Amino acid sequence: MIDVKRIVEDMEGIKKALLKRMPEEQLNLPEIVELHSRWKDLLSQYEQLRSEQKGYNDKMAATEKGSKDFKELVALLKEKAEDVRQAGERLREVESELQARVEVLPNIPADDVPAGEKEGNEVVREEGTQPTFDFEIKDHLDIAESLELLDMTRAAKLAGASFAMYTDMGARLEWAMINYFIGQHQQDGYRFMLPPHLLTEQSGHAAGQLPKFKEDVYWVQDGNFLLPTAETALANLYRDETLEEKDLPIKLFSYTPCYRREAGSYRAKERGLMRMHQFNKVEMFQYTTPQQSEAALEGLVGRAEKLVKDLGLHYRVVKLAAGDCSAAAAKTYDVEVWLPYLQQYYEVSSVSNVTDYQARRGNVRYKPENDGKPEYVHMLNASGLATSRLMVALLETYQNADGSLTVPEVLRPALGVDKIEPAK
């Protein structure tokens, strides 16, 4: 959530920044400034009435109980108490309306983030070379079925469309990737967390994913929802807490399945694992000071890149335009792998600095070492990595003319083989 004071003090500057990611007709900054002014006036009135109410209490304490003056003070105090109650209600109503107007605004994009939607995305760098083949290649689903790595038909029988079931070596290959990522993050000093998969609506609001994406998550009968990403859980670990500056940055990672009702709009060739309602992901997360967050962002991008490099996949890094970032993000880099069959890049890691946007929603602060006033932390998140599209890239990149699949070198110790051969 954006700091209201920034909007009041620099409305034109905030407007200019937000126009990089949203149309002017969706901005409500003048209404916010006017509501904030009303809120300040009502707060002043409320505090004045409270002061007068305390004055009556003090007079009563100094007046003989049962006397005429005392009885008059009691009557006046009742009137004043009603005035205070009504003023408090008006204050809360305006405060609630102000909160509702501010919380739907996206984060302020960083200065170096380009304006616009996807067409404004900037390729930062490409790594490796696109694989070439001297035979007619297959797409990942044909490869997986021929090697008996996936059973999409029975997955659909169990759960419906856009779900997958990994089988035998396919399950082992998926698990080997997950465990490789876990080991790498542990070596980098990140703490391993296994959060609940069911989260409260309050957690969704604090993470900035509700109310906007309320229809995109799976709700259960008790009012909780299945987490769409471990970020939602990790962003709430220290909600309503004040951390110590000496403990920052806090570096965490988590493995979870992710559940999303909206699998996205399909292109003609997108099938199989390309867009799923459930997929596995290892998520990195950091709590930092404002001064640490930009360097932390670059570090997270580097860690995500390393994992893709370790798998021997060709990829590129893209800085997203403001309109293509999530609402909470001030800056986002996507790591996109090359899919040989589709001849396209697809995102496997999204790395974002959300600055203090989630911290304000969740009231997460830190106490500076110089004993200054508590400040909001910055939060960052990064896929490290999402496995479904990685599996697509892996199968298509490492396919062989004889129908076998070469296993990436870093995964061979877990699988015990260099190749996965077709079933005889």
Side-chain angles (χ1 to χ4, degrees):
M1 188 163 64
I2 300 175
D3 184 358
V4 179
K5 290 182 180 179
R6 289 187 65 183
I7 298 174
V8 172
E9 294 171 358
D10 185 21
M11 187 178 72
E12 288 305 314
I14 300 301
K15 176 182 176 180
K16 182 180 179 181
L18 289 179
L19 285 175
K20 291 167 69 173
R21 67 183 309 168
M22 61 191 299
E24 186 168 0
E25 57 268 22
Q26 292 181 12
L27 282 175
N28 56 356
L29 302 188
E31 292 91 340
I32 288 173
V33 172
E34 193 273 333
L35 276 170
H36 184 264
S37 178
R38 283 173 55 194
W39 173 80
K40 284 185 68 177
D41 289 342
L42 288 170
L43 178 62
S44 179
Q45 293 172 25
Y46 177 73
E47 290 176 342
Q48 176 63 33
L49 288 168
R50 285 290 303 272
S51 177
E52 292 172 5
Q53 183 183 38
K54 183 179 182 300
Y56 281 115
N57 283 325
D58 293 341
K59 289 179 182 179
M60 286 177 63
T63 303
E64 182 181 353
K65 288 185 180 180
S67 68
K68 181 181 176 181
D69 289 345
F70 186 85
K71 291 177 182 178
E72 289 177 352
L73 285 170
V74 169
L76 289 170
L77 182 60
K78 287 182 179 179
E79 292 179 7
K80 191 58 65 177
E82 178 61 16
D83 291 343
V84 170
R85 185 190 68 78
Q86 292 181 9
E89 285 186 1
R90 291 193 297 270
L91 179 64
R92 285 189 292 274
E93 286 173 3
V94 172
E95 191 171 48
S96 178
E97 186 177 355
L98 179 61
Q99 173 88 3
R101 296 289 186 96
V102 175
E103 73 178 7
V104 296
L105 290 175
N107 202 352
I108 301 167
D111 292 341
D112 64 334
V113 170
E117 302 293 330
K118 288 181 181 292
E119 70 279 358
N121 292 350
E122 298 178 354
V123 176
V124 177
R125 56 184 169 273
E126 292 186 13
E127 294 289 341
T129 57
Q130 294 178 7
T132 57
F133 304 88
D134 57 5
F135 58 93
E136 185 176 351
I137 65 172
K138 299 177 182 178
D139 82 340
H140 76 282
L141 198 52
D142 288 338
I143 298 167
E145 289 175 348
S146 68
L147 294 175
E148 298 183 356
L149 306 179
L150 290 172
D151 192 334
M152 302 298 286
T153 302
R154 289 187 173 87
K157 180 167 68 174
L158 296 177
S162 296
F163 288 91
M165 183 163 65
Y166 296 86
T167 59
D168 195 27
M169 286 300 286
R172 289 179 59 192
L173 188 58
E174 172 82 353
W175 205 242
M177 275 201 290
I178 292 168
N179 276 283
Y180 181 74
F181 301 157
I182 288 172
Q184 291 298 300
H185 297 324
Q186 287 177 316
Q187 288 180 24
D188 288 337
Y190 283 67
R191 293 177 59 207
F192 191 9
M193 313 292 283
L194 288 176
H197 293 190
L198 285 174
L199 303 176
T200 65
E201 190 166 351
Q202 184 181 5
S203 294
H205 275 278
Q209 291 154 352
L210 297 178
K212 184 175 182 179
F213 298 107
K214 191 168 187 176
E215 301 304 315
D216 294 343
V217 298
Y218 284 101
W219 295 92
V220 298
Q221 62 267 32
D222 63 0
N224 288 6
F225 65 95
L226 286 166
L227 85 175
T229 166
E231 173 202 340
T232 316
L234 298 177
N236 280 273
L237 288 183
Y238 302 105
R239 191 175 69 220
D240 295 321
E241 294 184 34
T242 299
L243 307 171
E244 297 291 335
E245 183 177 4
K246 64 180 178 60
D247 295 326
L248 299 177
I250 294 174
K251 301 179 180 181
L252 310 168
F253 79 94
S254 179
Y255 157 71
T256 66
C258 301
Y259 308 92
R260 300 181 186 180
R261 290 187 63 215
E262 284 298 321
S265 59
Y266 288 75
R267 295 186 178 96
K269 292 184 178 181
E270 288 181 346
R271 63 182 193 135
L273 299 176
M274 290 300 300
R275 295 184 183 273
M276 309 299 297
H277 288 309
Q278 176 187 327
F279 58 94
N280 293 315
K281 182 152 69 85
V282 179
E283 182 80 0
M284 296 180 283
F285 200 92
Q286 286 198 36
Y287 290 81
T288 75
T289 67
Q291 296 75 27
Q292 296 168 334
S293 68
E294 186 60 27
L297 177 67
E298 298 299 326
L300 285 167
V301 173
R303 286 180 173 82
E305 284 188 76
K306 181 183 181 301
L307 297 178
V308 180
K309 281 182 183 177
D310 289 351
L311 292 173
L313 300 174
H314 171 57
Y315 72 93
R316 69 182 185 182
V317 178
V318 178
K319 183 196 289 186
L320 299 192
D324 200 25
C325 294
S326 70
K331 184 193 287 189
T332 297
Y333 292 99
D334 276 359
V335 179
E336 301 177 343
V337 294
W338 176 252
L339 304 186
Y341 186 81
L342 290 180
Q343 293 284 291
Q344 286 183 262
Y345 291 96
Y346 274 81
E347 175 251 320
V348 293
S349 178
S350 190
V351 188
S352 297
N353 184 356
V354 303
T355 60
D356 61 356
Y357 189 88
Q358 291 173 329
R360 289 181 180 278
R361 297 172 79 100
N363 190 30
V364 186
R365 305 170 189 255
Y366 73 96
K367 185 178 179 181
E369 291 182 327
N370 62 7
D371 292 326
K373 183 181 178 182
E375 300 179 31
Y376 288 104
V377 300
H378 278 198
M379 299 188 199
L380 303 97
N381 62 80
S383 314
L385 299 160
T387 60
S388 54
R389 288 181 183 170
L390 269 179
M391 183 68 79
V392 175
L394 189 152
L395 296 180
E396 294 182 2
T397 299
Y398 284 100
Q399 61 181 300
N400 299 308
D402 63 0
S404 66
L405 181 77
T406 300
V407 176
E409 187 173 347
V410 294
L411 302 182
R412 292 175 188 175
L415 293 178
V417 296
D418 294 346
K419 283 187 178 182
I420 299 174
E421 303 285 353
K424 297 180 180 179

